[in-house]
Amino acid sequence: MKSCILCNFLSDPYLKFLSFPLIHILLIQIQLSFCFSSREMLILPLKTQVIPSGSVPRSPNKLPFHHNVSLTVSFTVGTPPQNVSMVIDTGSELTWLNCNTTRNNYPTSFDPTRSSSYRPVPCSSATCTDKTRDFPIPASCDTNKLCHATLSYADSSSSEGNLASDNFIIGSSEISDLIFGCMDSTFSSNSEEDAKNTGLMGMNRGSLSFISQMGFPKFSYCISSTDFSGLLLLGDANISWLVPLNYTPLIQISTPLPYFDRVAYTVQLEGIKVSDNLLAIPKSVFVPDHTGAGQTMVDSGTQFSFLLGPVYTALKTEFLNQTTSVLRVLEDQNFVFQGAMDLCYRVPLNQPTLPQLPTVSLVFRGAEMTVSGDRLLYRVPGQVKGNDSVYCFTFGNSDLLGVEAFVIGHHHQQNVWMEFDLEKSRIGLAEVRCDLAGQRFGVGL
């Protein structure tokens, strides 16, 4: 362990798959600092690299499509340590690693037979019988009486293996006996790409999530919209000197409901504005119904944001109305980006910048998240119509995915400080230049 030079400073007052030749991945470099005042805090810088498609894990969350941008952390696991790379996913509980070493091209898989500290979890243990209750599919007992976990997703892909514990080493900090899934069997509609997956870091509120096992009272991240630099901060830090946060409470429902994820980061969406126009949508539309359908989840494992059909249609209509004079709609009913994003535009290839666009504000209880500029339209790689490139609206229709929820993806969290306060059951957010915030924390210097 080493002391942190920043300590005094910080204490100061689911559809069609797409394959892209290259994908931008946010890699958290192994440059960590440790502060020990009342609690330990880890600061992890974010840095972008361009990596061939499929060479890092695709987040296997409930939205079954390939991300071209994922938030990824790299560190080591086991004794002796093995390098792994994992997608940070606030929408999942179980942290897992791909342990299938029988196929070729597994440069970052985890081999449990090479780790002397690896311990499978017996199915009779309290970890297996009690702490897996929030898993979508209950844990079971395999023929060796070991705790068996199965993950299943909306695109019919699945992954299964045993729960186990091992030592996770982040920088010079070692987390002993962390529970994770050692997944050795996968079935996927795109097995060639998924075969290269390494794993996923589950960060939701479940008892077996990475953040819950670490015992941190909160964590934060901030992603730049320009070069995707930024930082992940694990632990408690007073950042009032940086930016005042607006907080929205986390919604909790104790009664199990079929369509409500009780360990997700669920907030209450109350409305949507396009520029200053509040869409004429009753607030009741944003409230989960008696089945739990209609919750609003903040999910770092999903790239874009998705809205239930009626809300999406209202937003699409208003955005169209306000952009008629500056954007040319793509008139192709057969083209739907990632199966759920059907509002696309043609932009001349020789046009260096997008025109001035109206803002879209997500109004939460106690806080707002405003999406503007380039974050509203996404250039579809490889799509050219005549002399035009294709840009699609970065909000999609969750009804087309078969997902009964509003999902706020990380694309719309760029240049927003996102604080997940587990102790006070709330999320804090504020607009901030994430590249400058990283510099203030001594990251990226």
Side-chain angles (χ1 to χ4, degrees):
M1 295 289 187
K2 57 183 178 180
S3 61
C4 172
I5 60 173
L6 299 175
C7 287
N8 293 333
F9 176 65
L10 293 175
S11 60
D12 191 72
Y14 302 20
L15 40 88
K16 298 177 183 177
F17 286 92
L18 299 177
S19 295
F20 302 142
L22 295 175
I23 53 180
H24 293 281
I25 299 297
L26 300 181
L27 292 180
I28 299 179
Q29 304 299 303
I30 308 306
Q31 305 166 5
L32 295 99
S33 300
F34 300 91
C35 298
F36 301 95
S37 50
S38 59
R39 299 178 188 269
E40 179 183 292
M41 181 177 66
L42 308 184
I43 303 172
L44 297 86
L46 298 178
K47 182 179 179 181
T48 257
Q49 292 186 15
V50 178
I51 297 178
S53 177
S55 63
V56 294
R58 175 179 67 87
S59 175
N61 56 30
K62 296 178 182 177
L63 300 180
F65 54 85
H66 288 180
H67 304 136
N68 66 306
V69 177
S70 294
L71 311 180
T72 309
V73 59
S74 299
F75 47 88
T76 60
V77 178
T79 308
Q82 301 175 42
N83 294 326
V84 300
S85 185
M86 308 173 79
V87 170
I88 303 169
D89 189 0
T90 60
S92 296
E93 174 172 0
L94 182 63
T95 293
W96 61 267
L97 291 170
N98 196 322
C99 294
N100 190 331
T101 58
T102 60
R103 288 174 287 180
N104 295 326
N105 299 322
Y106 260 86
T108 53
S109 64
F110 177 72
D111 186 351
T113 63
R114 290 171 45 209
S115 175
S116 62
S117 50
Y118 176 86
R119 299 287 184 272
V121 173
C123 55
S124 59
S125 69
T127 295
C128 189
T129 58
D130 298 337
K131 293 191 175 181
T132 61
R133 290 176 178 173
D134 288 316
F135 284 13
I137 299 176
S140 60
C141 198
D142 70 7
T143 55
N144 295 318
K145 297 184 178 180
L146 299 178
C147 192
H148 191 78
T150 301
L151 306 176
S152 182
Y153 306 102
D155 62 346
S156 299
S157 64
S158 62
S159 180
E160 56 184 298
N162 290 330
L163 291 191
S165 66
D166 210 329
N167 301 333
F168 282 57
I169 302 94
I170 304 178
S172 58
S173 177
E174 181 170 330
I175 303 100
S176 301
D177 302 323
L178 190 134
I179 303 296
F180 68 103
C182 196
M183 315 309 267
D184 58 7
S185 175
T186 59
F187 170 79
S188 173
S189 56
N190 194 342
S191 58
E192 182 178 350
E193 181 169 329
D194 289 346
K196 302 172 184 177
N197 288 0
T198 306
L200 178 143
M201 179 188 286
M203 294 285 281
N204 72 9
R205 296 192 288 170
S207 60
L208 286 183
S209 75
F210 187 87
I211 196 70
S212 295
Q213 292 190 67
M214 290 283 286
F216 285 118
K218 65 177 65 171
F219 67 95
S220 309
Y221 55 74
C222 195
I223 313 158
S224 170
S225 64
T226 53
D227 59 1
F228 295 107
S229 64
L231 74 157
L232 171 70
L233 193 155
L234 301 175
D236 191 2
N238 177 11
I239 63 160
S240 59
W241 53 268
L242 176 64
V243 61
L245 299 180
N246 293 313
Y247 288 94
T248 184
L250 291 171
I251 305 301
Q252 302 184 72
I253 296 179
S254 58
T255 304
L257 298 174
Y259 294 109
F260 191 90
D261 186 344
R262 293 187 297 166
V263 290
Y265 293 103
T266 301
V267 295
Q268 186 58 64
L269 184 61
E270 295 188 330
I272 298 178
K273 294 189 297 187
V274 181
S275 295
D276 293 325
N277 295 345
L278 182 66
L279 300 181
I281 303 172
K283 286 188 177 182
S284 59
V285 174
F286 299 106
V287 178
D289 64 18
H290 65 284
T291 69
Q295 75 182 116
T296 300
M297 298 180 287
V298 179
D299 186 2
S300 70
T302 297
Q303 183 179 357
F304 300 112
S305 296
F306 298 88
L307 310 172
L308 291 181
V311 176
Y312 171 76
T313 299
L315 172 59
K316 172 184 173 181
T317 300
E318 182 62 24
F319 192 81
L320 269 170
N321 289 340
Q322 294 195 28
T323 56
T324 300
S325 62
V326 296
L327 289 173
R328 179 185 174 194
V329 175
L330 174 67
E331 302 289 353
D332 184 352
Q333 295 182 351
N334 294 321
F335 182 78
V336 180
F337 180 48
Q338 297 196 344
M341 304 158 84
D342 60 2
L343 176 56
C344 298
Y345 298 91
R346 300 179 64 152
V347 178
L349 289 167
N350 59 3
Q351 182 173 316
T353 60
L354 291 172
Q356 185 72 31
L357 299 174
T359 60
V360 174
S361 297
L362 303 175
V363 182
F364 303 108
R365 183 177 299 165
E368 285 190 17
M369 178 184 290
T370 298
V371 183
S372 62
D374 292 350
R375 287 186 292 160
L376 288 166
L377 295 182
Y378 182 81
R379 183 174 181 175
V380 180
Q383 282 288 330
V384 177
K385 301 290 185 179
N387 293 319
D388 300 325
S389 54
V390 175
Y391 283 75
C392 291
F393 193 40
T394 53
F395 289 88
N397 186 345
S398 60
D399 286 5
L400 296 179
L401 304 177
V403 176
E404 297 290 332
F406 299 94
V407 182
I408 311 303
H410 67 72
H411 182 78
H412 293 151
Q413 300 171 37
Q414 293 173 2
N415 275 338
V416 179
W417 186 277
M418 299 293 299
E419 178 185 275
F420 296 77
D421 188 338
L422 307 180
E423 278 190 337
K424 296 183 179 179
S425 191
R426 62 184 185 173
I427 291 179
L429 56 132
E431 292 187 25
V432 66
R433 280 276 304 276
C434 290
D435 54 344
L436 299 181
Q439 295 176 20
R440 292 283 298 272
F441 276 93
V443 171
L445 297 178

